[in-house]
Amino acid sequence: MGAWKLACIFRNVLPPEAFEEVGYHLHGSLSQRIIPVSDRFCLKKILPHWLHYSRALSGAEAINALRPFYFAVHPDFFGQHPREREINENSLKRLSVYLENLQKPGFKSLKPTQLTFYIREKTAQHSSEGQEPSSTSGFRAVRFTLHTSDLLSTVLYILNSCSLSAEHIQSLNTNVHSQPLKETTGMPGRPIKWHRSYYSFTGFKDPDEDLEQVSRVETTLMSWLGSNGKSAVKKLKNSLPLRKELDRLKSELSELLQLSDIRWQRGWGVAHRCSQLHSLSRLAQQSLEPLQNAKGCTIVFTDRSGMSALGHVMLGTMDVHHHWTRLFESLPNYFDLQRRMSVLEDQISSLLGGIQVVYIEELQPEFTIDEYYSLLNVFYNQLLKSRVPSHPQGLSGLQMILSSDRLKVIENELIQASTKKFSLEKLYKEPSISSRQMVDCCKRLLGQSLPYLHGMRLCVSHFYSVMQDGDLCIPWDWKKGEATK
């Protein structure tokens, strides 16, 4: 390729001094001639240092370079803020898919991916474009759109968007680590924008055109399913071996600990669930005796450790093995609380003429056994004070639940109806989706014909996405429209 073509391609990315270094001066726009001042034209020198670097950056090095970012946005640090935690969790999943696709051989371009993260305020000293003012909770929101085409530029773009230092990148063990950081990250103070001749020559897609198309065309449910259905089916099939491994681990642990079941409260990916089971398996190998206290119980991986109102053993995924061990050791105390709760329910039933007080997981808030016992105790004391008269005919055979939410009942019915109509393998929602939003979404879904959903796993969230395991995420307020051909 001639020097003129190369200069046209790289003119829009490189500063003028890059051309002067190899013996060329740039005058005016691209339409003007580049005047040679020497006969040397070295492709290796004209390519920016960061472009060489990106070719050598591995996936492991990218993850290592993003450690400050992961530390700033990790969901485990947002335990007191469930909405922000959920948004970070979802965005990290989508970022993981983006980075994974960048490493696939033969890829040409990726669709622009818009991400939102909440960053702990102490991790950055100043705000940058795309960031909202700091909240009183000690974190701020950052929104940016990824349209990069290599690992290094992706890493630098993320760190820069979040106002995080990139100085540690030069210490990575690569073949260019000895170059000054200024050259590595010292691109012109503007986004990387290749000239159109580069895309015409290479056949790659111009990400700016994708961004323009995204802004022009509003995504609808039918169009998105039509465009992403095949990708979801492929990912779902690819995840089958890992799902079998998950079933194997679950079966082995259930048999070892004599458990009734193992469940998950959140929609974690299959790989994440396998990791949690491996962690529990290692704990069983190190200290089996305390875990045997869970015989006959159901273990649920969730956000906090304890026992649920139904008597399920809750393992907080943010807790370390030491906390889990203490929980298993304290299970006899929880069992004693269960017995006292049963006695309290009988006492309430006696005061109400035989009405049975029950707890239904799908229709009530998620209580720990301590919280539910406290609620029952308050209700019992109120009944004693009010001196409720006994019904002359008795009310045995009737049931009642505390803190009932009629909307939860409707939500559960619509989920079952939608699952049946579309032959879904599973329909679930992210914890940040309210019952009202889920009801609205399901009602509108039931009015549609959606053959793309047959046999799929559908998650109602705040955005469109195909997860790594093939789960389809759709926003609860999806828009109607026709499928793309």
Side-chain angles (χ1 to χ4, degrees):
M1 185 187 300
W4 168 244
K5 281 189 177 180
L6 281 170
C8 286
I9 291 175
F10 296 110
R11 168 65 180 86
N12 204 36
V13 175
L14 298 176
E17 51 267 27
F19 287 84
E20 294 170 2
E21 180 184 353
V22 295
Y24 280 77
H25 287 301
L26 297 179
H27 296 270
S29 65
L30 278 171
S31 60
Q32 294 178 305
R33 184 69 178 177
I34 297 181
I35 303 175
V37 294
S38 77
D39 293 326
R40 289 193 313 113
F41 187 85
C42 178
L43 176 60
K44 182 177 181 181
K45 288 187 178 181
I46 196 171
L47 288 176
H49 171 62
W50 50 265
L51 188 59
H52 290 295
Y53 187 93
S54 67
R55 301 298 183 188
L57 194 65
S58 68
E61 289 166 339
I63 296 298
N64 187 41
L66 284 172
R67 277 185 177 179
F69 165 74
Y70 288 132
F71 183 77
V73 304
H74 199 283
D76 287 0
F77 295 111
F78 291 80
Q80 302 301 317
H81 306 281
R83 177 179 174 274
E84 289 76 14
R85 173 191 173 96
E86 188 66 31
I87 289 174
N88 280 11
E89 206 168 63
N90 290 330
S91 293
L92 283 173
K93 291 178 184 177
R94 300 177 68 201
L95 174 60
S96 176
V97 172
Y98 191 92
L99 294 175
E100 179 186 329
N101 288 335
L102 279 179
Q103 300 172 66
K104 290 182 179 178
F107 89 94
K108 286 194 173 183
S109 64
L110 297 177
K111 291 184 178 179
T113 300
Q114 188 173 30
L115 300 174
T116 298
F117 287 100
Y118 283 90
I119 295 186
R120 293 189 295 148
E121 184 55 33
K122 66 180 181 180
T123 60
Q125 300 299 321
H126 61 278
S127 62
S128 64
E129 184 179 355
Q131 299 180 7
E132 295 181 355
S134 302
S135 70
T136 57
S137 301
F139 50 78
R140 55 189 167 83
V142 178
R143 293 184 177 87
F144 54 86
T145 301
L146 290 178
H147 48 86
T148 46
S149 57
D150 60 81
L151 286 174
L152 178 66
S153 58
T154 302
V155 169
L156 294 177
Y157 185 74
I158 291 172
L159 294 175
N160 180 64
S161 297
C162 299
S163 300
L164 297 171
S165 172
E167 293 181 1
H168 61 286
I169 294 181
Q170 70 178 11
S171 65
L172 291 177
N173 186 21
T174 66
N175 59 347
V176 291
H177 74 280
S178 60
Q179 295 290 338
L181 177 67
K182 183 177 180 181
E183 292 185 19
T184 303
T185 59
M187 295 174 281
R190 53 185 170 83
I192 303 171
K193 183 175 175 62
W194 298 87
H195 190 265
R196 291 183 180 277
S197 58
Y198 169 77
Y199 298 105
S200 299
F201 183 83
T202 61
F204 294 162
K205 289 185 179 180
D206 187 346
D208 287 342
E209 292 182 2
D210 287 338
L211 281 172
E212 291 173 6
Q213 185 177 6
V214 167
S215 61
R216 288 197 309 266
V217 181
E218 182 181 39
T219 303
T220 65
L221 178 62
M222 294 296 288
S223 65
W224 186 83
L225 288 175
S227 301
N228 294 274
K230 291 183 179 178
S231 171
V233 171
K234 182 178 179 181
K235 288 185 176 181
L236 186 60
K237 289 182 178 178
N238 291 341
S239 73
L240 291 180
L242 195 57
R243 292 181 189 276
K244 290 182 179 178
E245 172 69 5
L246 178 66
D247 291 338
R248 184 189 67 80
L249 291 170
K250 182 177 175 181
S251 177
E252 288 182 356
L253 272 172
S254 296
E255 183 177 352
L256 175 65
L257 303 178
Q258 300 182 53
L259 303 172
S260 295
D261 195 10
I262 299 178
R263 303 177 189 172
W264 286 264
Q265 186 186 52
R266 286 177 170 269
W268 286 299
V270 179
H272 195 167
R273 296 186 181 198
C274 284
S275 176
Q276 291 164 349
L277 292 183
H278 279 300
S279 183
L280 182 59
S281 179
R282 287 194 298 271
L283 180 59
Q285 293 173 4
Q286 297 166 5
S287 182
L288 179 60
E289 186 177 353
L291 274 66
Q292 291 175 330
N293 288 331
K295 178 180 178 180
C297 295
T298 293
I299 285 181
V300 181
F301 288 96
T302 181
D303 293 333
R304 52 179 175 168
S305 294
M307 179 174 280
S308 73
L310 288 174
H312 299 334
V313 179
M314 301 162 57
L315 296 183
T317 56
M318 294 184 288
D319 296 335
V320 295
H321 280 180
H322 173 66
H323 294 130
W324 286 4
T325 301
R326 288 178 59 186
L327 170 63
F328 284 112
E329 289 174 344
S330 64
L331 284 182
N333 295 329
Y334 280 112
F335 296 148
D336 180 62
L337 183 58
Q338 268 189 306
R339 288 188 288 269
R340 287 189 283 132
M341 186 178 72
S342 179
V343 171
L344 188 56
E345 287 175 336
D346 290 339
Q347 291 173 334
I348 293 174
S349 177
S350 177
L351 290 174
L352 293 176
I355 297 178
Q356 183 183 8
V357 180
V358 296
Y359 178 88
I360 302 177
E361 187 176 22
E362 294 80 8
L363 307 181
Q364 293 175 264
E366 295 167 353
F367 288 122
T368 63
I369 191 170
D370 308 80
E371 293 167 342
Y372 191 59
Y373 181 84
S374 177
L375 179 65
L376 287 173
N377 194 46
V378 170
F379 184 58
Y380 174 69
N381 289 326
Q382 288 176 342
L383 288 177
L384 288 177
K385 291 178 182 179
S386 61
R387 298 181 180 179
V388 179
S390 300
H391 196 281
Q393 297 179 353
L395 298 174
S396 59
L398 297 180
Q399 293 181 334
M400 67 173 293
I401 59 177
L402 301 181
S403 298
S404 175
D405 185 352
R406 176 58 185 164
L407 200 59
K408 290 284 292 182
V409 178
I410 298 173
E411 177 188 8
N412 193 47
E413 292 174 349
L414 288 173
I415 289 175
Q416 293 180 11
S418 300
T419 302
K420 182 178 180 180
K421 175 176 179 177
F422 302 116
S423 301
L424 292 167
E425 181 179 330
K426 184 177 182 180
L427 172 60
Y428 63 102
K429 68 173 184 176
E430 296 286 1
S432 59
I433 299 296
S434 68
S435 293
R436 189 172 299 279
Q437 290 171 332
M438 188 65 172
V439 166
D440 179 71
C441 177
C442 290
K443 282 183 177 178
R444 296 170 62 235
L445 282 175
L446 288 169
Q448 303 292 313
S449 175
L450 302 170
Y452 306 99
L453 297 180
H454 183 84
M456 301 302 295
R457 298 169 58 88
L458 184 64
C459 174
V460 176
S461 182
H462 294 281
F463 54 83
Y464 286 105
S465 179
V466 179
M467 305 311 291
Q468 189 173 1
D469 301 319
D471 289 24
L472 289 165
C473 289
I474 64 170
W476 69 271
D477 56 348
W478 53 269
K479 302 294 187 295
K480 292 183 180 181
E482 298 297 324
T484 55
K485 301 295 184 181

